[in-house]
Amino acid sequence: MNKKIVLTGIKPTGYIHLGNYVGAIKPALNLAQQDNLIPIYFIADYHALTSINNPSDYRRYIYSLAATWLSLGLNPDKVIFYKQSDLPEVFELTWILSCLTPKGLMNRAHAYKSKVDINIERGLDIDNGINMGLYTYPILMAADILLFNADIVPVGKDQVQHIEIARDIALQFNKTYGEIFNIPNYSINEETSVLPGIDGRKMSKSYNNTIPLFESPDKLKKQIFKIKTDSSLPGDPKDPDNSILFSIYKEFATQDQILEMEEKFRNGIGWGQVKQELFDVINNYLEEPRKKYMYYIERHELIDSILKKGAEKARELSSPFLKKIRKAIGAE
Ligand code: TRP
C-alpha cells in the first residue's frame, strides 16, 4: 500500500501562541503518529518574507518556530522537517507554475483582495503597500505542496482557498503537460481549529488577543487573567458552552477535569477561580515543552543541523520529481 503524504507549513512571522498550537501544531503532530502517512512539515520562511523585512526578527522567528515544533514532540527521525528556503526546487517550481497561473486567479485571492479593499476604503492607490510576494503568495504555496505530490494538507480555515488554488494550478498543469501532479486535499480539524483569544474573537496575532505558548508562567498567568468574562458573580450558575475560558480549558485538561469543570460551572464557580484553574492546567501541560524549548532555543547549531538533515531528505524526493517536471515541460 502506498503511504499518503501529509504536508504542512507554518510561516515564522511571530511567536507561536496557544491558537497556533491547538489549531495547527497539535493536529499535525497527531497525524504524524499514523503509520500509513509520511509527514512532511516545514518552516515557510520565504512566505514570511512577504511581511517581515527585519533580518534579526526574521532569524529569531525561524529559530523560535523550529524550537517550538521540536519541543512539542516533532521527531525529526519520523517527520521530514526542513526550512523552505533550503530547497531550491521549490522556487524553480514556483516559476514554472507561475507561467500556468492565470493572473485573475491571484486577483481573487482573499489575502490580496482584502488589502486592496482596505486601500480603496482609505482612498489610497489600490496597490498601495502590496508587494509581488504577497500577490503571488498562493503560487509559492502551491509549489510547496505540489513538489511532494502531497495528498493531505492540514490547514486552518483561512488557508482553504490557497489549497483550492493549488488544486486549480495542478489541474491546469496536468491538462497542459500530462498527469504529473496529484490533486491535493485539505484537512481541517472542525472542532479545534479555532481557539478564542482573550477578547473572544479567533486567537490571532492580527487581533492582538493571543496567549503566547512559551512565555514565563507569570506572563502566561497575566494573559489568562485578562480573558474576557461576563458580569455574572460567584455563585451564579454559568454555561460552559458560552465561555472562552472553558473553550480553552477543554484543549489542555483531561477528560475527567473537563467533566468536573462543567459541574463547577453549573454550581456557580467564580471567574477568578476558573482562571486560576485554567492557568494551572495550561502551565502544567507546558512545563516539559517549555524546558525543551529553552534547551533548543539556546542551541542554534543543533537546530541548523536538524533542519539541514531534513532538507537533505526532502531533496531526495523533490529533486528527482523536479527533473520529471522539467522533462514534462521540455526543459530537459
Ligand atoms: N500560508 C500558510 C499560512 O499562512 C503557510 C504555508 C506555506 C503552508 N506553505 C504551505 C501551509 C503549504 C500548508 C502547505 O498558514
Side-chain angles (χ1 to χ4, degrees), residues 7-11 42 44 47 84 137 140-142 144-145 153-156 158-159 162-163:
L7 173 143
T8 197
I10 296 181
K11 58 179 175 179
F42 66 97
H47 274 112
Q84 179 191 39
Y137 186 109
L140 178 55
M141 186 157 158
D144 289 330
I145 297 167
V153 187
V155 285
D158 60 324
Q159 296 297 312
H162 287 150
I163 313 299

Side-chain angles (χ1 to χ4, degrees), residues 84-312:
Q84 179 191 39
S85 65
D86 288 336
L87 265 57
E89 292 81 8
V90 172
F91 309 101
E92 186 171 341
L93 181 57
T94 300
W95 178 257
I96 297 171
L97 299 179
S98 296
C99 297
L100 284 169
T101 305
K103 178 169 174 282
L105 193 61
M106 296 298 97
N107 291 342
R108 291 191 290 277
H110 297 319
Y112 167 72
K113 247 176 66 182
S114 78
K115 296 238 170 187
V116 169
D117 289 346
I118 292 171
N119 283 337
I120 293 173
E121 228 176 80
R122 297 186 180 158
L124 300 167
D125 183 88
I126 55 164
D127 284 325
N128 182 61
I130 298 174
N131 61 56
M132 285 304 292
L134 177 88
Y135 188 62
T136 60
Y137 186 109
I139 310 179
L140 178 55
M141 186 157 158
D144 289 330
I145 297 167
L146 301 181
L147 186 59
F148 293 95
N149 260 337
D151 298 284
I152 308 164
V153 187
V155 285
K157 283 202 184 84
D158 60 324
Q159 296 297 312
V160 166
Q161 190 196 26
H162 287 150
I163 313 299
E164 282 164 352
I165 291 173
R167 292 168 63 93
D168 282 354
I169 296 175
L171 287 166
Q172 182 61 32
F173 187 100
N174 288 353
K175 206 171 88 190
T176 313
Y177 295 115
E179 295 293 312
I180 298 282
F181 292 124
N182 182 33
I183 309 304
N185 288 300
Y186 55 82
S187 91
I188 10 184
N189 188 339
E190 283 295 341
E191 274 164 45
T192 55
S193 57
V194 181
L195 194 74
I198 59 175
D199 59 357
R201 290 186 291 174
K202 174 191 169 186
M203 191 181 290
S204 161
K205 212 177 59 132
S206 45
Y207 293 149
N208 218 348
N209 64 356
T210 65
I211 303 175
L213 197 57
F214 293 130
E215 286 281 15
S216 66
D218 274 357
K219 284 206 179 136
L220 176 65
K221 189 163 181 175
K222 239 179 154 167
Q223 277 307 87
I224 287 174
F225 273 76
K226 278 194 214 155
I227 295 174
K228 220 172 84 185
T229 53
D230 64 23
S231 56
S232 56
L233 298 170
D236 295 343
K238 296 172 175 65
D239 178 9
D241 295 329
N242 254 325
S243 158
I244 306 169
L245 291 166
F246 187 72
S247 304
I248 304 177
Y249 188 83
K250 276 196 297 197
E251 296 298 332
F252 297 91
T254 63
Q255 202 51 43
D256 285 348
Q257 286 173 318
I258 295 171
L259 291 174
E260 273 172 41
M261 186 55 88
E262 273 177 326
E263 187 66 27
K264 289 182 190 169
F265 264 69
R266 280 192 289 273
N267 292 335
I269 185 174
W271 290 128
Q273 186 61 32
V274 182
K275 288 180 176 177
Q276 180 61 45
E277 294 195 24
L278 177 61
F279 167 73
D280 289 339
V281 148
I282 296 181
N283 195 42
N284 190 27
Y285 189 100
L286 292 179
E287 209 170 302
E288 277 308 305
R290 194 188 284 130
K291 277 187 211 151
K292 289 189 189 153
Y293 179 81
M294 295 321 276
Y295 175 87
Y296 282 110
I297 209 70
E298 282 163 11
R299 287 169 180 78
H300 281 194
E301 332 69 57
L302 176 59
I303 292 178
D304 288 340
S305 88
I306 291 171
L307 292 174
K308 285 280 172 283
K309 268 190 224 149
E312 279 164 28

